[in-house]
Amino acid sequence: MRRLLVSIVLLSVGLGLTNAASAHRFAPSLLKINQIDASQYHLVWKTPVQATSNVPLLPTWPESCAVTQSSPPHVEGTGKVTSLQITCADLGEDGLVGDAIGVSGLGANQASAMVMLRMADGRQYQEVLNAEQAEFIVPAEPSAGEVVTDYSVLGIEHIWGGIDHLLFVFGLLLLVGGGARLLWTITAFTVGHSITLSLVTLGFFDYPVALVEFTIALSIFVLAVELTRKGSNDLLWRHPWWLAGGFGLLHGMGFAGALAETGLPQDNVPLALLFFNVGIELGQIAFILVVLLLWWLLRRPLAPWQERLRWVPVYVLGSLSAMWCIERGLEALA
Amino acid sequence: MRLLARLNRPWVHFLLLGTLLFWLQGRLFPAPLPTIGPLPEARIAALKEQWFTAVGRPPSDEQMAKLIDAELDRDMLYQRALELELHLYDPVVYQRLLRNMFFLGLGEGMTEQERYEQALEMRLHLGDEVVKRRMIQVVEQLLLAANPPAAPSEAELAVEFNERQEELRRPPRYTVEHVYFNRDREADVGSVIDQINSTGLTPTEARELSSPFLPGYRFVRQTPDQLTRHFGSAFVLNLLEAQPEANAWVGPVRSTYGQHYVYVSEIVPARAATLDEVRPLLERDLKSRARATALEDSIARMRQDYEVLR
């Protein structure tokens, strides 16, 4: 009996699939919201004519909003379109910001819905809703001050969370030592990664992520190999900022990936980009200071073994970067 | 020696140490398996709702557990499809996303390719049930291609044939002709039958005395099921109860339409089926079962690649 029931369910699901092509069942619904003024919104709700369950698909909005106008639904292709106007008098100056808009009945209909929201100040949001996430909280746009602090912190967090980037900076430190040369080299690295980070984030070019991750590991490997050749009087040793700047371009693409996951505030893209870079720079400086402080503390106790320990950091750098090269190389080839 | 001296370079050491670290990392810190599930409450509620709609009552706990397991398997297959980026190469998904974009009124003025790319960018493929089903279907096909079910052997066919002897038994077949009396003529039944018997009318001659009967008057080598489709189950029941014999009239036999005076010209008794007769059916069933087993085995193996959270 149980088998029979399961068969019935499967059959009904199967039939649903067969009919899908002709009737466009399970089609996504569309909820388009335009803010007219501080408290009024115009909504267009388009949903498939043919439902897949008895539970209706309906747009939802905060309880304090009331429908002030609505047109009778009309059929448009395989969809049913309704036009509404809602007034949200009690939501305050921010209107829907911080409140939820959504669609009910998505789970029962195995459907999805797209919410497109255009605010009066030109901001636009787009979100695909489904049974798991049936609501969209209208995000508040952060103020300029918040962007400055949030993205600076984000930059610091990212550089401190990315051990590969830190090891590269550490390698540069080993390459050039302290002083003005270090400052110029680190600055060249910053300029390099700022350029690609900005260009990628602003959509000027795209890149294969796996390949870039591999080349970042390779850059550390190259740096480690270069450190073993200390004493040779070649161009790189005399002008390390070329190496730092060139590889900085690669690392910038890596940073862009992290920024893409967070997203950028629509009104303050340049500010967010700038302070993400500033955060990375602050993080780098803090890391260098920590390394120099540690070196200052350990220099005397380690003095008797200084010559023997000289190769330890280079080998750490070289071995870890070789491991990442293998790991990321295999991922890129997969 | 010279080769060893040449290999005694820091970059070679780095590579060797890096390989060792890579191996150690894999042994000591294996990459965590991708997780599937647990299903959010909203989806569990939707599963219950779908079951209720199809069956008319809520599922038991055991049924619910099976539904959830099946749904998690679907999620896993879909996840594998996304990992393999199958959605980028499937014409059904391509057309479906174009259709969704058209339905949503998005991407006007764009080429089909641009519209499709925008749909992917908007991640429309992730929320679409039809895309999901299609992707699952493609992954199942790939699994079956990698682990093809074996064709049924003669020995399996023989075992199946023996086990299903009773089910496969050929039903009896009757060749019948009839004279039909609709409800308005029930009073005439006796006199017409007397006339047929006394004058020795053949069935074809007797047909002149019949009321019109749309399905026809002569039915050749029909099984009881086939006769039921023409006359209804009451007729077949009454006919069999009357224990008809070949080359003899039987009746009147009542059906839902009225009464019938039936001439049975041939009775082929029920018999056991021969293997050749049922071979296509048995092969189809065995293939279908082998396919289901191969798929279930492949899915069970795939579960090892994921951490399934119930």
Side-chain angles (χ1 to χ4, degrees):
Chain A
M1 185 63 184
R2 191 174 300 134
R3 276 190 181 174
L4 178 68
L5 294 178
V6 172
S7 305
I8 292 169
V9 171
L10 291 176
L11 184 66
S12 62
V13 167
L15 287 175
L17 182 59
T18 317
N19 291 335
S22 55
H24 205 206
R25 295 178 76 193
F26 304 108
S29 299
L30 174 69
L31 178 58
K32 230 173 174 174
I33 305 174
N34 275 320
Q35 186 177 21
I36 300 168
D37 59 35
S39 62
Q40 293 201 81
Y41 297 85
H42 180 252
L43 279 69
V44 175
W45 170 239
K46 183 175 181 183
T47 192
V49 173
Q50 190 178 12
T52 49
S53 101
N54 295 328
V55 181
L57 281 166
L58 292 170
T60 60
W61 45 73
E63 278 180 17
S64 55
C65 298
V67 177
T68 46
Q69 266 182 41
S70 74
S71 71
H74 69 273
V75 173
E76 193 181 284
T78 53
K80 188 172 58 182
V81 181
T82 313
S83 184
L84 300 161
Q85 196 160 312
I86 59 170
T87 303
C88 307
D90 298 335
L91 292 183
E93 281 183 13
D94 284 347
L96 282 173
V97 169
D99 284 289
I101 45 180
V103 174
S104 66
L106 288 174
N109 286 281
Q110 295 170 275
S112 59
M114 169 163 287
V115 175
M116 298 173 83
L117 172 65
R118 181 194 282 270
M119 305 294 276
D121 60 10
R123 277 183 288 149
Q124 292 186 47
Y125 300 100
Q126 214 164 267
E127 190 84 14
V128 178
L129 304 179
N130 52 34
E132 291 173 32
Q133 194 211 328
E135 282 186 341
F136 165 64
I137 308 284
V138 181
E141 193 69 356
S143 66
E146 283 170 329
V147 170
V148 168
T149 47
D150 288 354
Y151 281 81
S152 299
V153 170
L154 202 63
I156 294 171
E157 280 175 355
H158 183 65
I159 188 82
W160 274 80
I163 188 165
D164 48 351
H165 300 301
L166 285 183
L167 276 185
F168 186 80
V169 174
F170 180 59
L172 291 179
L173 191 60
L174 293 177
L175 185 76
V176 298
R181 269 164 63 87
L182 176 64
L183 185 67
W184 286 119
T185 307
I186 295 295
T187 305
F189 179 60
T190 302
V191 169
H193 69 63
S194 301
I195 290 170
T196 40
L197 169 60
S198 306
L199 289 177
V200 171
T201 308
L202 295 174
F204 284 102
F205 74 95
D206 206 356
Y207 58 93
V209 176
L211 196 61
V212 165
E213 289 296 326
F214 169 73
T215 47
I216 287 173
L218 192 63
S219 72
I220 306 167
F221 184 80
V222 170
L223 185 57
V225 173
E226 201 57 36
L227 285 168
T228 64
R229 301 186 332 124
K230 191 161 190 175
S232 57
N233 190 25
D234 64 8
L235 195 67
L236 213 56
W237 281 94
R238 280 182 280 130
H239 304 291
W241 40 88
W242 290 112
L243 176 89
F247 284 151
L249 293 172
L250 279 175
H251 286 249
M253 288 188 254
F255 296 145
L259 191 57
E261 282 172 18
T262 311
L264 289 166
Q266 290 181 28
D267 283 351
N268 283 313
V269 174
L271 199 66
L273 257 178
L274 173 66
F275 278 89
F276 187 67
N277 274 315
V278 167
I280 288 174
E281 185 64 7
L282 290 174
Q284 274 172 200
I285 292 170
F287 173 71
I288 289 167
L289 289 176
V290 168
V291 172
L292 291 177
L293 179 67
L294 277 175
W295 175 236
W296 183 75
L297 290 172
L298 296 173
R299 195 171 54 174
R300 285 200 178 167
L302 295 179
W305 301 284
Q306 189 175 344
E307 193 50 36
R308 278 190 221 163
L309 292 176
R310 191 166 72 86
W311 292 102
V312 171
V314 179
Y315 267 74
V316 167
L317 211 61
S319 313
L320 281 176
S321 60
M323 180 188 78
W324 288 326
C325 280
I326 296 167
E327 189 179 69
R328 296 175 187 184
L330 290 175
E331 273 172 24
L333 289 174
Chain B
M1 284 305 282
R2 192 172 290 173
L3 180 68
L4 282 177
R6 274 173 190 260
L7 287 177
N8 190 17
R9 296 275 189 278
W11 66 269
V12 178
H13 303 163
F14 293 165
L15 281 180
L16 289 173
L17 285 169
T19 310
L20 181 67
L21 285 175
F22 179 69
W23 179 77
L24 279 174
Q25 183 185 244
R27 298 299 296 263
L28 300 176
F29 309 103
L33 295 175
T35 56
I36 301 292
L39 294 182
E41 282 302 317
R43 280 183 63 191
I44 293 176
L47 284 177
K48 273 186 194 161
E49 175 71 31
Q50 284 157 28
W51 178 275
F52 190 83
T53 308
V55 178
R57 57 183 163 74
S60 67
D61 288 347
E62 194 185 344
Q63 284 161 343
M64 199 59 224
K66 282 193 175 175
L67 284 177
I68 290 173
D69 282 348
E71 192 67 4
L72 287 168
D73 277 348
R74 290 183 75 234
D75 277 6
M76 181 179 69
L77 293 171
Y78 185 48
Q79 176 63 32
R80 176 58 59 91
L82 292 173
E83 286 165 12
L84 297 173
E85 296 190 329
L86 297 178
H87 57 289
L88 300 182
Y89 312 103
D90 191 87
V92 175
V93 174
Y94 182 85
Q95 290 301 333
R96 173 74 187 176
L97 289 182
L98 287 184
R99 211 162 165 199
N100 284 354
M101 289 291 279
F102 180 74
F103 181 81
L104 294 171
L106 300 173
E108 276 177 30
M110 288 182 175
T111 64
E112 282 197 345
Q113 183 61 26
E114 286 167 345
R115 202 178 271 202
Y116 164 71
E117 282 167 10
Q118 194 182 357
L120 288 178
E121 202 174 303
M122 288 159 65
R123 302 166 78 76
L124 279 187
H125 61 291
L126 295 181
D128 191 283
E129 182 62 22
V130 174
V131 171
K132 185 174 181 177
R133 288 179 189 180
R134 169 69 184 170
M135 291 291 88
I136 290 170
Q137 203 176 40
V138 175
V139 173
E140 284 179 347
Q141 283 165 1
L142 290 177
L143 289 176
L144 285 172
N147 179 28
S153 66
E154 278 302 315
E156 284 174 315
L157 273 172
V159 170
E160 183 80 359
F161 179 63
N162 283 332
E163 281 178 359
R164 294 171 62 180
Q165 279 284 344
E166 198 53 40
E167 175 204 331
L168 297 170
R169 205 171 156 72
R170 306 283 92 177
R173 288 179 182 272
Y174 300 89
T175 299
V176 296
E177 289 174 73
H178 71 126
V179 178
Y180 169 55
F181 303 93
N182 63 25
R183 293 189 186 284
D184 299 337
R185 289 183 61 206
E186 294 222 344
D188 301 340
V189 174
S191 59
V192 172
I193 288 176
D194 284 347
Q195 187 187 344
I196 291 169
N197 291 338
S198 60
T199 54
L201 292 178
T202 64
T204 312
E205 290 164 344
R207 196 182 297 169
E208 300 295 320
L209 305 170
S210 173
S211 305
F213 190 72
L214 281 179
Y217 300 94
R218 181 175 162 80
F219 299 87
V220 180
R221 297 205 169 184
Q222 300 282 295
T223 65
D225 282 349
Q226 288 169 323
L227 286 175
T228 300
R229 281 198 282 279
H230 298 302
F231 293 93
S233 57
F235 171 85
V236 176
L237 204 66
N238 293 334
L239 177 69
L240 296 181
E241 259 182 17
Q243 297 183 334
E245 288 175 12
N247 300 314
W249 287 95
V250 59
V253 178
R254 180 169 289 284
S255 78
T256 45
Y257 306 109
Q259 301 216 44
H260 309 256
Y261 193 47
V262 183
Y263 184 79
V264 181
S265 53
E266 186 190 17
I267 299 177
V268 180
R271 62 175 173 82
T274 66
L275 179 56
D276 282 344
E277 274 174 336
V278 293
R279 181 181 287 276
L281 171 78
L282 294 180
E283 279 180 347
R284 193 194 64 200
D285 288 357
L286 283 171
K287 276 182 189 166
S288 161
R289 217 181 300 156
R291 186 182 181 280
T293 308
L295 195 56
E296 182 50 46
D297 290 348
S298 301
I299 291 175
R301 274 198 298 278
M302 195 192 280
R303 286 192 203 110
Q304 312 298 317
D305 300 337
Y306 296 88
E307 189 180 350
V308 182
L309 305 171
R310 285 185 170 74

